[in-house]
PDB file of all heavy atoms in Angstrom:
ATOM      1  N   LYS A   1       2.169  -5.123  12.793  1.00 95.00           N
ATOM      2  CA  LYS A   1       1.555  -5.752  11.627  1.00 95.00           C
ATOM      3  C   LYS A   1       0.549  -4.794  10.988  1.00 95.00           C
ATOM      4  O   LYS A   1      -0.171  -4.091  11.680  1.00 95.00           O
ATOM      5  CB  LYS A   1       0.837  -7.041  12.032  1.00 95.00           C
ATOM      6  CG  LYS A   1       1.775  -8.151  12.511  1.00 95.00           C
ATOM      7  CD  LYS A   1       0.996  -9.389  12.878  1.00 95.00           C
ATOM      8  CE  LYS A   1       1.948 -10.506  13.315  1.00 95.00           C
ATOM      9  NZ  LYS A   1       1.220 -11.740  13.694  1.00 95.00           N
ATOM     10  N   GLN A   2       0.537  -4.798   9.662  1.00 97.00           N
ATOM     11  CA  GLN A   2      -0.443  -3.974   8.956  1.00 97.00           C
ATOM     12  C   GLN A   2      -1.144  -4.845   7.912  1.00 97.00           C
ATOM     13  O   GLN A   2      -0.539  -5.306   6.949  1.00 97.00           O
ATOM     14  CB  GLN A   2       0.227  -2.779   8.287  1.00 97.00           C
ATOM     15  CG  GLN A   2      -0.768  -1.801   7.702  1.00 97.00           C
ATOM     16  CD  GLN A   2      -0.392  -0.348   7.951  1.00 97.00           C
ATOM     17  OE1 GLN A   2       0.382  -0.062   8.840  1.00 97.00           O
ATOM     18  NE2 GLN A   2      -0.937   0.555   7.187  1.00 97.00           N
ATOM     19  N   TYR A   3      -2.431  -5.075   8.138  1.00 97.00           N
ATOM     20  CA  TYR A   3      -3.242  -5.867   7.220  1.00 97.00           C
ATOM     21  C   TYR A   3      -3.806  -4.929   6.154  1.00 97.00           C
ATOM     22  O   TYR A   3      -4.433  -3.927   6.475  1.00 97.00           O
ATOM     23  CB  TYR A   3      -4.380  -6.552   7.985  1.00 97.00           C
ATOM     24  CG  TYR A   3      -3.900  -7.518   9.035  1.00 97.00           C
ATOM     25  CD1 TYR A   3      -3.561  -7.077  10.315  1.00 97.00           C
ATOM     26  CD2 TYR A   3      -3.760  -8.871   8.754  1.00 97.00           C
ATOM     27  CE1 TYR A   3      -3.103  -7.953  11.287  1.00 97.00           C
ATOM     28  CE2 TYR A   3      -3.304  -9.764   9.716  1.00 97.00           C
ATOM     29  CZ  TYR A   3      -2.975  -9.298  10.984  1.00 97.00           C
ATOM     30  OH  TYR A   3      -2.518 -10.182  11.938  1.00 97.00           O
ATOM     31  N   VAL A   4      -3.559  -5.258   4.883  1.00 98.00           N
ATOM     32  CA  VAL A   4      -3.923  -4.334   3.797  1.00 98.00           C
ATOM     33  C   VAL A   4      -4.709  -5.081   2.727  1.00 98.00           C
ATOM     34  O   VAL A   4      -4.294  -6.158   2.271  1.00 98.00           O
ATOM     35  CB  VAL A   4      -2.666  -3.702   3.169  1.00 98.00           C
ATOM     36  CG1 VAL A   4      -3.064  -2.651   2.129  1.00 98.00           C
ATOM     37  CG2 VAL A   4      -1.769  -3.081   4.237  1.00 98.00           C
ATOM     38  N   ASP A   5      -5.830  -4.494   2.305  1.00 97.00           N
ATOM     39  CA  ASP A   5      -6.632  -5.164   1.287  1.00 97.00           C
ATOM     40  C   ASP A   5      -6.109  -4.887  -0.126  1.00 97.00           C
ATOM     41  O   ASP A   5      -5.283  -3.999  -0.347  1.00 97.00           O
ATOM     42  CB  ASP A   5      -8.123  -4.846   1.429  1.00 97.00           C
ATOM     43  CG  ASP A   5      -8.509  -3.429   1.033  1.00 97.00           C
ATOM     44  OD1 ASP A   5      -7.679  -2.697   0.488  1.00 97.00           O
ATOM     45  OD2 ASP A   5      -9.681  -3.059   1.281  1.00 97.00           O
ATOM     46  N   ASN A   6      -6.601  -5.669  -1.069  1.00 97.00           N
ATOM     47  CA  ASN A   6      -6.121  -5.587  -2.448  1.00 97.00           C
ATOM     48  C   ASN A   6      -6.391  -4.229  -3.090  1.00 97.00           C
ATOM     49  O   ASN A   6      -5.600  -3.737  -3.891  1.00 97.00           O
ATOM     50  CB  ASN A   6      -6.776  -6.683  -3.298  1.00 97.00           C
ATOM     51  CG  ASN A   6      -6.295  -8.070  -2.928  1.00 97.00           C
ATOM     52  OD1 ASN A   6      -5.246  -8.234  -2.310  1.00 97.00           O
ATOM     53  ND2 ASN A   6      -7.068  -9.081  -3.301  1.00 97.00           N
ATOM     54  N   ASP A   7      -7.515  -3.640  -2.753  1.00 97.00           N
ATOM     55  CA  ASP A   7      -7.908  -2.358  -3.331  1.00 97.00           C
ATOM     56  C   ASP A   7      -6.887  -1.276  -3.001  1.00 97.00           C
ATOM     57  O   ASP A   7      -6.464  -0.513  -3.870  1.00 97.00           O
ATOM     58  CB  ASP A   7      -9.296  -1.964  -2.821  1.00 97.00           C
ATOM     59  CG  ASP A   7      -9.784  -0.655  -3.415  1.00 97.00           C
ATOM     60  OD1 ASP A   7      -9.895  -0.572  -4.653  1.00 97.00           O
ATOM     61  OD2 ASP A   7     -10.033   0.290  -2.655  1.00 97.00           O
ATOM     62  N   VAL A   8      -6.477  -1.211  -1.758  1.00 98.00           N
ATOM     63  CA  VAL A   8      -5.489  -0.213  -1.341  1.00 98.00           C
ATOM     64  C   VAL A   8      -4.146  -0.488  -2.004  1.00 98.00           C
ATOM     65  O   VAL A   8      -3.471   0.432  -2.497  1.00 98.00           O
ATOM     66  CB  VAL A   8      -5.341  -0.198   0.193  1.00 98.00           C
ATOM     67  CG1 VAL A   8      -4.143   0.663   0.616  1.00 98.00           C
ATOM     68  CG2 VAL A   8      -6.616   0.325   0.840  1.00 98.00           C
ATOM     69  N   LEU A   9      -3.747  -1.744  -2.068  1.00 98.00           N
ATOM     70  CA  LEU A   9      -2.451  -2.092  -2.655  1.00 98.00           C
ATOM     71  C   LEU A   9      -2.368  -1.694  -4.126  1.00 98.00           C
ATOM     72  O   LEU A   9      -1.368  -1.121  -4.563  1.00 98.00           O
ATOM     73  CB  LEU A   9      -2.188  -3.594  -2.510  1.00 98.00           C
ATOM     74  CG  LEU A   9      -1.865  -4.110  -1.112  1.00 98.00           C
ATOM     75  CD1 LEU A   9      -1.697  -5.623  -1.134  1.00 98.00           C
ATOM     76  CD2 LEU A   9      -0.599  -3.452  -0.572  1.00 98.00           C
ATOM     77  N   ILE A  10      -3.397  -2.003  -4.898  1.00 98.00           N
ATOM     78  CA  ILE A  10      -3.332  -1.702  -6.332  1.00 98.00           C
ATOM     79  C   ILE A  10      -3.361  -0.200  -6.572  1.00 98.00           C
ATOM     80  O   ILE A  10      -2.699   0.314  -7.498  1.00 98.00           O
ATOM     81  CB  ILE A  10      -4.461  -2.426  -7.107  1.00 98.00           C
ATOM     82  CG1 ILE A  10      -4.192  -2.390  -8.617  1.00 98.00           C
ATOM     83  CG2 ILE A  10      -5.819  -1.858  -6.788  1.00 98.00           C
ATOM     84  CD1 ILE A  10      -3.005  -3.212  -9.064  1.00 98.00           C
ATOM     85  N   LYS A  11      -4.088   0.541  -5.754  1.00 98.00           N
ATOM     86  CA  LYS A  11      -4.127   1.991  -5.911  1.00 98.00           C
ATOM     87  C   LYS A  11      -2.784   2.621  -5.572  1.00 98.00           C
ATOM     88  O   LYS A  11      -2.315   3.527  -6.271  1.00 98.00           O
ATOM     89  CB  LYS A  11      -5.246   2.593  -5.057  1.00 98.00           C
ATOM     90  CG  LYS A  11      -6.637   2.300  -5.613  1.00 98.00           C
ATOM     91  CD  LYS A  11      -7.743   2.866  -4.743  1.00 98.00           C
ATOM     92  CE  LYS A  11      -9.109   2.581  -5.354  1.00 98.00           C
ATOM     93  NZ  LYS A  11     -10.227   3.092  -4.525  1.00 98.00           N
ATOM     94  N   LEU A  12      -2.147   2.154  -4.520  1.00 98.00           N
ATOM     95  CA  LEU A  12      -0.809   2.658  -4.186  1.00 98.00           C
ATOM     96  C   LEU A  12       0.194   2.267  -5.266  1.00 98.00           C
ATOM     97  O   LEU A  12       1.087   3.046  -5.608  1.00 98.00           O
ATOM     98  CB  LEU A  12      -0.364   2.112  -2.831  1.00 98.00           C
ATOM     99  CG  LEU A  12      -1.112   2.648  -1.606  1.00 98.00           C
ATOM    100  CD1 LEU A  12      -0.645   1.915  -0.341  1.00 98.00           C
ATOM    101  CD2 LEU A  12      -0.889   4.158  -1.448  1.00 98.00           C
ATOM    102  N   ALA A  13       0.047   1.062  -5.811  1.00 98.00           N
ATOM    103  CA  ALA A  13       0.942   0.611  -6.875  1.00 98.00           C
ATOM    104  C   ALA A  13       0.779   1.468  -8.121  1.00 98.00           C
ATOM    105  O   ALA A  13       1.754   1.775  -8.815  1.00 98.00           O
ATOM    106  CB  ALA A  13       0.660  -0.856  -7.216  1.00 98.00           C
ATOM    107  N   SER A  14      -0.446   1.892  -8.411  1.00 98.00           N
ATOM    108  CA  SER A  14      -0.688   2.694  -9.613  1.00 98.00           C
ATOM    109  C   SER A  14       0.048   4.026  -9.544  1.00 98.00           C
ATOM    110  O   SER A  14       0.490   4.554 -10.566  1.00 98.00           O
ATOM    111  CB  SER A  14      -2.190   2.923  -9.810  1.00 98.00           C
ATOM    112  OG  SER A  14      -2.713   3.825  -8.848  1.00 98.00           O
ATOM    113  N   ALA A  15       0.190   4.567  -8.340  1.00 98.00           N
ATOM    114  CA  ALA A  15       0.905   5.838  -8.158  1.00 98.00           C
ATOM    115  C   ALA A  15       2.362   5.611  -7.775  1.00 98.00           C
ATOM    116  O   ALA A  15       3.086   6.582  -7.486  1.00 98.00           O
ATOM    117  CB  ALA A  15       0.219   6.672  -7.080  1.00 98.00           C
ATOM    118  N   ASP A  16       2.797   4.362  -7.774  1.00 98.00           N
ATOM    119  CA  ASP A  16       4.166   3.996  -7.395  1.00 98.00           C
ATOM    120  C   ASP A  16       4.511   4.553  -6.005  1.00 98.00           C
ATOM    121  O   ASP A  16       5.577   5.135  -5.788  1.00 98.00           O
ATOM    122  CB  ASP A  16       5.170   4.516  -8.440  1.00 98.00           C
ATOM    123  CG  ASP A  16       6.523   3.815  -8.345  1.00 98.00           C
ATOM    124  OD1 ASP A  16       6.632   2.818  -7.596  1.00 98.00           O
ATOM    125  OD2 ASP A  16       7.475   4.281  -9.011  1.00 98.00           O
ATOM    126  N   LEU A  17       3.586   4.340  -5.072  1.00 98.00           N
ATOM    127  CA  LEU A  17       3.754   4.854  -3.714  1.00 98.00           C
ATOM    128  C   LEU A  17       3.888   3.744  -2.665  1.00 98.00           C
ATOM    129  O   LEU A  17       3.793   4.015  -1.467  1.00 98.00           O
ATOM    130  CB  LEU A  17       2.567   5.752  -3.336  1.00 98.00           C
ATOM    131  CG  LEU A  17       2.497   7.117  -4.021  1.00 98.00           C
ATOM    132  CD1 LEU A  17       1.165   7.789  -3.718  1.00 98.00           C
ATOM    133  CD2 LEU A  17       3.661   8.008  -3.596  1.00 98.00           C
ATOM    134  N   LEU A  18       4.124   2.526  -3.098  1.00 98.00           N
ATOM    135  CA  LEU A  18       4.225   1.425  -2.148  1.00 98.00           C
ATOM    136  C   LEU A  18       5.443   1.555  -1.239  1.00 98.00           C
ATOM    137  O   LEU A  18       5.353   1.319  -0.025  1.00 98.00           O
ATOM    138  CB  LEU A  18       4.257   0.083  -2.892  1.00 98.00           C
ATOM    139  CG  LEU A  18       2.908  -0.350  -3.477  1.00 98.00           C
ATOM    140  CD1 LEU A  18       3.090  -1.503  -4.460  1.00 98.00           C
ATOM    141  CD2 LEU A  18       1.933  -0.744  -2.370  1.00 98.00           C
ATOM    142  N   SER A  19       6.572   1.961  -1.796  1.00 98.00           N
ATOM    143  CA  SER A  19       7.774   2.156  -0.963  1.00 98.00           C
ATOM    144  C   SER A  19       7.560   3.307   0.009  1.00 98.00           C
ATOM    145  O   SER A  19       7.965   3.237   1.181  1.00 98.00           O
ATOM    146  CB  SER A  19       8.999   2.431  -1.843  1.00 98.00           C
ATOM    147  OG  SER A  19       9.317   1.309  -2.633  1.00 98.00           O
ATOM    148  N   ASP A  20       6.908   4.363  -0.464  1.00 98.00           N
ATOM    149  CA  ASP A  20       6.598   5.506   0.402  1.00 98.00           C
ATOM    150  C   ASP A  20       5.655   5.088   1.534  1.00 98.00           C
ATOM    151  O   ASP A  20       5.756   5.590   2.653  1.00 98.00           O
ATOM    152  CB  ASP A  20       5.954   6.626  -0.411  1.00 98.00           C
ATOM    153  CG  ASP A  20       6.855   7.136  -1.517  1.00 98.00           C
ATOM    154  OD1 ASP A  20       6.874   6.503  -2.585  1.00 98.00           O
ATOM    155  OD2 ASP A  20       7.533   8.143  -1.317  1.00 98.00           O
ATOM    156  N   PHE A  21       4.746   4.173   1.222  1.00 98.00           N
ATOM    157  CA  PHE A  21       3.819   3.652   2.214  1.00 98.00           C
ATOM    158  C   PHE A  21       4.570   2.979   3.360  1.00 98.00           C
ATOM    159  O   PHE A  21       4.275   3.210   4.546  1.00 98.00           O
ATOM    160  CB  PHE A  21       2.871   2.667   1.535  1.00 98.00           C
ATOM    161  CG  PHE A  21       2.008   1.862   2.458  1.00 98.00           C
ATOM    162  CD1 PHE A  21       0.954   2.456   3.133  1.00 98.00           C
ATOM    163  CD2 PHE A  21       2.238   0.504   2.648  1.00 98.00           C
ATOM    164  CE1 PHE A  21       0.145   1.711   3.996  1.00 98.00           C
ATOM    165  CE2 PHE A  21       1.444  -0.241   3.491  1.00 98.00           C
ATOM    166  CZ  PHE A  21       0.390   0.362   4.174  1.00 98.00           C
ATOM    167  N   LEU A  22       5.555   2.172   3.019  1.00 98.00           N
ATOM    168  CA  LEU A  22       6.359   1.503   4.046  1.00 98.00           C
ATOM    169  C   LEU A  22       7.085   2.513   4.930  1.00 98.00           C
ATOM    170  O   LEU A  22       7.092   2.396   6.159  1.00 98.00           O
ATOM    171  CB  LEU A  22       7.367   0.559   3.393  1.00 98.00           C
ATOM    172  CG  LEU A  22       6.815  -0.617   2.598  1.00 98.00           C
ATOM    173  CD1 LEU A  22       7.949  -1.399   1.944  1.00 98.00           C
ATOM    174  CD2 LEU A  22       5.983  -1.536   3.485  1.00 98.00           C
ATOM    175  N   VAL A  23       7.681   3.500   4.292  1.00 98.00           N
ATOM    176  CA  VAL A  23       8.421   4.528   5.042  1.00 98.00           C
ATOM    177  C   VAL A  23       7.477   5.341   5.921  1.00 98.00           C
ATOM    178  O   VAL A  23       7.780   5.628   7.088  1.00 98.00           O
ATOM    179  CB  VAL A  23       9.174   5.455   4.070  1.00 98.00           C
ATOM    180  CG1 VAL A  23       9.813   6.620   4.829  1.00 98.00           C
ATOM    181  CG2 VAL A  23      10.241   4.676   3.310  1.00 98.00           C
ATOM    182  N   ALA A  24       6.337   5.706   5.375  1.00 98.00           N
ATOM    183  CA  ALA A  24       5.381   6.550   6.107  1.00 98.00           C
ATOM    184  C   ALA A  24       4.890   5.894   7.383  1.00 98.00           C
ATOM    185  O   ALA A  24       4.594   6.581   8.371  1.00 98.00           O
ATOM    186  CB  ALA A  24       4.202   6.896   5.209  1.00 98.00           C
TER     187      ALA A  24
END
């Protein structure tokens, strides 16, 4: 499980790195 706050999510979304985050 990975608990993630809103700040990190929106920043990753801005760089379109959310899918990369899952893979990483």
Side-chain angles (χ1 to χ4, degrees):
K1 293 181 178 180
Q2 188 138 340
Y3 298 85
V4 185
D5 72 9
N6 291 341
D7 182 59
V8 170
L9 288 177
I10 194 68
K11 288 178 179 179
L12 291 175
S14 71
D16 198 9
L17 288 171
L18 286 167
S19 295
D20 300 83
F21 170 72
L22 296 176
V23 173

